[in-house]
Amino acid sequence: MPDSDPSWDEFITLFRSSGLSLPEDRLPVLFAAFREVRAWGETIRAYETVPGDEPANAYAVASILRAGEGSA
């Protein structure tokens, strides 16, 4: 990768500071994944959701159990 690519410089800095070791010939593959994750993150941040569009994350236990289950 060209040393002038800021993404490459950031990737190498993050990779080396992580303490991981990987053969040099594998770095380009990991760098490609790094760039895809960065692009995905930018897409996610650009997408605005209305709180009402989000799925509910709380349920009434009685509504998801079969009759008679869970009664103590």
Side-chain angles (χ1 to χ4, degrees), residues 20-58:
L20 298 172
S21 64
L22 193 68
E24 290 290 321
D25 63 332
R26 302 256 177 125
L27 288 177
V29 174
L30 190 57
F31 176 61
F34 170 79
R35 290 182 80 170
E36 287 184 29
V37 169
R38 292 280 309 269
W40 174 76
E42 290 169 12
T43 301
I44 295 298
R45 281 190 293 277
Y47 181 72
E48 293 185 30
T49 58
V50 177
D53 291 344
E54 294 292 326
N57 61 356

Side-chain angles (χ1 to χ4, degrees), residues 1-29:
M1 292 296 136
D3 291 334
S4 62
D5 184 346
S7 297
W8 175 256
D9 295 339
E10 180 184 5
F11 166 72
I12 289 298
T13 301
L14 288 170
F15 182 77
R16 297 235 164 93
S17 68
S18 73
L20 298 172
S21 64
L22 193 68
E24 290 290 321
D25 63 332
R26 302 256 177 125
L27 288 177
V29 174

